[in-house]
Amino acid sequence: MTSKTKGQGAKERTAVPAKHVRRELLPDQSAALLQELHLLTRTGDLNADAHRKLKQINHLAGMLGPDLDAMFERVAEPKLLDAGAGNAYLGFVLYELHFAPRKRGEVLSVEVRPDLVARAKERAQRLHYDRMRFLDKPLAELTADVQADFVVALHACDTATDDAIAHGIHTQAPVIAVVPCCQAEVARLLQGGSAVHRSLGPLWRHPIQRREFGAHLTNVIRGLVLESHGYQVTVTELTGWEHSLKNELILARKVQKRNGLAIQQLGALLGDLPPLDMKLLRDVPAPV
Ligand SMILES: C[S@@+](CC[C@H](N)C(=O)[O-])C[C@H]1O[C@@H](n2cnc3c(N)ncnc32)[C@H](O)[C@@H]1O
């Protein structure tokens, strides 16, 4: 078998015919919405790529469910910010599952590509999802008046995840959940840099290991920044690796003003590394 046919085989195996699609859906999820989003084909099948996307979104929706329920208990008109929303699939799914049945709250999708925003807006109109709003602008340009009770970023590219975290921290969002995407910034900053402890240098000597280590370090720093600002952080796997390689869910809940231990840990970690002029560290300095 050539690698091409192997690859095609793998793809075929993950497509789901219409008659079996129901078992891929969450209990209150409609096939009609997924058809409107073009995640299902006209004949109701789920092709391999859409299947992977749906798995990611549904796993995330499931894992965020308890925090979303808690938000609705706490807040009369809660606002969820979907950062780097792309086609806003996640926002549509969360709206159908949580916002539509309760008839309250709002989903705000922020996406830098105007074409995607225009299409998502049209879909929301067709669906009468009138408490979905859309902004086409870079996340870094969000102003403090864009307050959210829940910030979520699914695979927002590179430092866009950091912009979502920074906005959430600055506006004191009670919950921030990110599943980071590809990350290049820290690997780039590590290149050629020498560690304070020379024994650490080999961790990022080879490009492929630098990329992996850079991605890991980025997420460790993200967690510590969130903890420093008083968030309790859990880090878990989103879904099986066969559905996505970008698979780490960082879920942060605001529980206190600041966390001195995390501030110290972050400082000590950064002190052992080459100077890392990371955007997140510039945008969100340690709290005093
Ligand atoms: C990989 S896609 C993920 C989309 C969606 N969250 C999902 O999981 O289906 C990343 C999206 O983030 C958007 N994006 C990248 N940088 C951004 C920024 N600085 N501000 C807003 N959106 C951004 C891209 O245009 C793209 O649509």
Side-chain angles (χ1 to χ4, degrees), residues 99-114:
F99 291 76
R102 288 170 165 113
K103 298 187 171 44
R104 59 194 173 93
E106 181 180 293
V107 173
L108 171 64
S109 295
V110 179
E111 164 56 49
V112 76
R113 277 183 52 186

Side-chain angles (χ1 to χ4, degrees), residues 53 56-57 60 82-91 110-116 135-142 152-161 163-164 179 181-182 246 279:
K53 182 87 290 197
Q56 294 162 15
I57 287 172
L60 186 56
D82 180 12
N87 286 306
Y89 295 141
L90 178 65
V110 179
E111 164 56 49
V112 76
R113 277 183 52 186
D115 55 325
L116 300 186
L135 271 180
D136 54 349
K137 58 160 63 177
L139 291 162
E141 290 181 15
L142 289 180
V152 62
L154 174 60
H155 296 159
C157 320
D158 200 8
T159 54
T161 294
D163 294 337
V179 179
C181 194
C182 43
K246 303 155 200 161
K279 185 173 190 303

Side-chain angles (χ1 to χ4, degrees), residues 9-24:
K11 240 184 167 179
E12 275 157 21
R13 275 197 300 278
T14 60
V16 181
K19 62 180 177 194
H20 295 315
V21 160
R22 184 68 248 169
R23 65 173 76 142
E24 299 295 325

